[in-house]
Amino acid sequence: MASPLGLGHLDELEAESIYIMREVVAAFSKPVMLYSIGKDSSVLVRLAQKAFHPAPPPFPLLHVDTTWKFPEMYEFRERTARATGMELIVHINQEGLDQGVNPFTHGSALHTDVMKTQALKQALDKYGFDAAVAGARRDEEMSRAKERVFSLRTRTHRWDPRNQRPELWHLYNTHVRNGESMRVFPLSNWTELDVWSYIDREKIPVVPLYFAAPRPVVHRSGTLIMVADERMQLAPGEEPEMKRVRFRTLGCYPLSGAIESDADSVPAIIHEMLTATHSERQGRVIDHDGEGSMERKKQEGYF
Amino acid sequence: MSANPAANRRQFRAYVNAREDGDILRFITCGSVDDGKSTLIGRLLYESRLVFQDQLAKVEADSRLHGTQGDNLDLALLLDGLQAEREQGITIDVAYRMFSTGRRKFIVADAPGHEQYTRNMATGASTADLAVVLIDARKGVLPQTCRHTTILSLLGVRRVIAAVNKMDLVDWSKDVFDGIVAAYGQFAQRLDVTDVACIPVSALTGDNVTRPSTAMDWYGGPTLLQALEFAEVASGRESASFRMPVQWVNRPSADFRGFAGTVASGLIRRGDPVMLCPSQKTSTVKRILGPDGDLDGARAGQAVTLTLADEVDVSRGDIIASAAEPPSLSDQFACHIVWMHEDPLLPNRPYLLKIGTRLAGAQITAIKHKLNVSTLEHTAGRNLALNDIAYCNIGLDRRIAFDPYRELRETGGFILIDRYTYETVGAGMIEFGLWRGDNLTLHQLAIDKPERAAQKNQRACVLWLTGLSGAGKSATANAVERRLHAMGRHSYTLDGDNLRHGLTRDLGFTDADRVENVRRIAEVAKLFVDAGMIVLVSVISPFRDERGMAREMMDEGEFIEIFVDCPIEVCEQRDPKGLYRKARAGQIKNFTGVDSAYEPPENPEIVLKTGERSVEEVADQVVDYLRSRTAHEPGK
């Protein structure tokens, strides 16, 4: 609570996140860490290594794979698993895959629901995880500002905004009834800037897509979409052009908007952020599906 | 700063490092929607350039839909997170927002100000170093202002900035401001709020929020943002005695056994002697592992792993403390409780309590008085409703190490958890330990329970018959006891109605009294079990929590819950004592099944369908259960 003399704010945030992860491991029987390959996941993994040292992090990583990530993300995922020695579970919604669900023909909302939300529920049920640690932050989106650090989910993985437990001090109520589970957010109090500052300080590797480079992109409803592989469906007359771009958030490539940028290093990204005029989630297509769209997705079981 | 980072790399690096070195100030804002609180925070975010164009565009769109500022930008809409709340135009939960300046990072807990949301304010205040209390310059110090300040004081927030808002609407008047400063200071003086600063502001125009006001040149103090940037946050945690609640035992291999936790207060160095609480064994610190490897020492706020020189038994929930200045131990406390749930707190109802990393069973043993947080008056109370605050005694099922809350939040603050729903139902702050725990030691009896039971050639147990009035509990108990007696077993029946003539004659039929009634009967049943007896308890015992408590008081397998399951229509038709008739006529209040709840057991060992079967049949059912249970035990 009170800031200890000599500890900078990154040290404080780090200590708080470590405390939260240790609570998870002490209180739950089968925790898992959701691994999205993004910068927040990279920070989470580093924090987990620190929290349990000299033991390895006592939980596996789970990647819910929509099969539509950038190729560089898949490479990075494998590198991370090898480097950390942590068990990596990859789950794909086979039903969705069989039905050929994709962001082009089915739209972002249905694709995200089937391949992400439903897939996540499948994976949590399949392995019986009772706590899922994830990298969501309160500064990401308005509906997240009231999210708990330990967020209770019903047996059907729904989030009930009217039935969340008050969180006082750092006394997290970790009790769940049979079938209920907890989503845990150790980075709740971090901002995007904190994440990059920490990556800078700790020299944490991240997917190269965060750094500016010439990439083939097309303009779509106000965002720049990268032509990441041959599955990209181009509209008639749409012509990819090379632009110097980077990504502030990473997800399915057809749903991740790039920004034009020259920031090709972590310090350059931090500098860009300090002068930025747009929020991080601006490039996310799924946030713009309508009023309160993220809140609705969360109630349905999306992170 | 230059637009080109390469040109100014060193300056930029220094700037980034300075940002990293800055600490965190956690503060809470208190006030109602009408005080312009959301607008104030919105302005802080807006002017510290943390509101981006796309968010602003959204606020512009929202302002047209839900805004309260006409055609102006409604900055409050930046904050109202959830859709339902946006539509209602009120915030109903604590929201946390971050912003930073070159000096430090801020985490703002935004707690709604309505009277019914004491719960949210307490939540937001629990982690706050400082509070910003909003006062509407036109209205002055209101009961609500006092309420907020009292809660802050109880939760240990010592530093308060009173932001006197809407100064633009009182013509920037110094007299108005001075009057409010005097009135507020007078109230705060009665509390533990030791550091009060008042700042005249206008959230709407930004005067004295982030820029000095020219309209109020009579004010020479800092702007709100300056005050926040320069506020001291050191709470004396570093100079206090060393405490570290153990979170997790790290045992990756046979030769490493570390105790992971966050230092709650003080300093620890390699080689320091420590006391382990509550066992009070001592050892010395061998290694301190920090996030980046071995450390010579660690201080409050750091997450570390300690190894000790000796093989001692330490587990989650224990506290590793300074050997020279260890914490006190007790199992009985005087404390303040903030009640946070719609279901009332009932004295003697069993709850779970979490303090530090320790979990324990707990009961409120007495409500000394309720606190009126607006007037500071004390009133009597037999239970606590949502948002009530009271001074209470609490008893735990074990001795724990603690510090008074005012000395250290981490070892003096606790939450209460419902044993059945697992919801967080209350929060508490320990004032001091009561002497009883330290001075009472259990006298060991020479003969133990198995010896007593063996002499009677039986296994002691409780047959707990629960059910509605008229369901047949007492009749069943009689028939079962007849059979046991014939079999040469030693039994006794505790009948709820009979006990009300003596042991429980001071109790009525309110929920609170029913809880105490069951507690007493369970305690007596425990004594009989200890004596080796088969005890039949015949009492309505309508609440799951108390039956669960009775079960936990006994050893594994000793508690046999028997649900005497008879439909209320049948009970009412039988009405052996004429009680249903009186209850329906309104002559008896709080009658179970009529105007008081009955919570049926979820997993009883035995269910007796007394609506369909005779007393003799169900009595056989109980005896058969006991036979099958002991059949495999030789000699029983």
Side-chain angles (χ1 to χ4, degrees), chain A residues 28 37 79 91 98 115 143 148 155 182 209 229-230 257-258 278:
Chain A
F28 290 87
I37 320 178
R79 266 210 305 281
H91 181 82
D98 292 345
M115 298 308 288
S143 79
R148 304 298 192 266
R155 286 176 176 79
M182 204 67 93
L209 291 162
D229 63 28
E230 69 294 342
H278 284 87

Side-chain angles (χ1 to χ4, degrees), chain B residues 45 81 96 121 133-134 182 188 229 235 249 256 258 264 335 350 453 492 583-584 602 605 617 619:
Chain B
L45 299 183
Y96 296 89
M121 247 219 67
V133 173
L134 263 100
E229 281 189 310
S235 65
V249 181
F256 186 90
C335 60
Y492 191 71
R584 294 288 179 201
E602 294 204 311
E605 275 77 9
E617 283 175 307

Side-chain angles (χ1 to χ4, degrees), chain B residues 396-619:
Chain B
L396 273 55
D397 63 1
R398 70 194 69 189
R399 232 157 49 124
I400 61 158
F402 74 99
D403 295 287
Y405 181 79
R406 70 180 65 237
E407 287 171 23
L408 189 59
R409 291 181 185 186
E410 284 81 355
T411 50
F414 59 85
I415 56 169
L416 293 170
I417 299 170
D418 186 278
R419 300 182 82 106
Y420 176 67
T421 63
Y422 287 156
E423 287 179 68
T424 302
V425 289
M429 288 75 68
I430 293 180
E431 293 289 323
F432 53 85
L434 300 170
W435 61 272
R436 293 201 286 275
D438 273 341
N439 299 342
L440 266 182
T441 44
L442 280 177
H443 171 66
Q444 290 294 324
L445 299 181
I447 300 171
D448 66 12
K449 181 160 56 182
E451 287 176 286
R452 293 178 198 277
Q455 187 187 46
K456 296 180 173 60
N457 191 30
Q458 65 188 26
R459 190 170 153 197
C461 66
V462 181
L463 298 167
W464 189 285
L465 295 112
T466 171
L468 295 168
S469 176
K473 296 181 298 297
S474 299
T476 306
N478 273 344
V480 171
E481 223 190 339
R482 274 261 147 251
R483 282 161 175 73
L484 292 174
H485 189 72
M487 291 157 66
R489 300 289 186 256
H490 296 244
S491 64
Y492 191 71
T493 296
L494 298 173
D495 187 275
D497 282 357
N498 293 356
L499 295 176
R500 282 190 182 271
H501 294 286
L503 179 71
T504 59
R505 74 172 161 208
D506 55 323
L507 301 174
F509 292 88
T510 60
D511 285 357
D513 280 357
R514 285 179 189 277
V515 168
E516 173 62 7
N517 185 46
V518 171
R519 187 192 69 83
R520 284 189 205 171
I521 294 173
E523 288 284 0
V524 175
K526 185 179 163 65
L527 293 177
F528 274 90
V529 169
D530 235 26
M533 305 279 280
I534 297 173
V535 194
L536 294 92
V537 173
S538 167
V539 58
I540 296 173
S541 48
F543 304 130
R544 286 188 194 113
D545 279 336
E546 282 67 52
R547 294 194 304 263
M549 167 185 72
R551 182 185 289 276
E552 283 174 27
M553 283 164 59
M554 313 300 163
D555 286 340
E556 185 76 30
E558 274 177 4
F559 185 86
I560 300 163
E561 189 172 21
I562 303 177
F563 180 24
V564 184
D565 183 11
C566 182
I568 187 160
E569 303 75 40
V570 179
C571 295
E572 196 159 355
Q573 203 184 347
R574 288 180 187 161
D575 207 3
K577 299 167 200 159
L579 296 174
Y580 283 93
R581 197 167 35 79
K582 286 187 185 164
R584 294 288 179 201
Q587 291 164 327
I588 307 178
K589 288 267 173 269
N590 301 322
F591 194 75
T592 302
V594 177
D595 58 350
S596 185
Y598 179 79
E599 301 169 356
E602 294 204 311
N603 295 301
E605 275 77 9
I606 308 175
V607 179
L608 304 178
K609 294 281 182 189
T610 49
E612 303 154 20
R613 306 177 66 182
S614 72
V615 170
E616 301 307 320
E617 283 175 307
V618 297

Side-chain angles (χ1 to χ4, degrees), chain A residues 146 169 172 194 277 279 295, chain B residues 53-54 83 85 105 126:
Chain A
K146 301 182 183 193
W169 302 289
Y172 301 111
D194 295 329
T277 55
S279 79
E295 187 187 335
Chain B
Q53 278 178 14
D54 54 321
Q83 195 174 357
E85 295 172 18
K105 173 182 168 104
S126 72

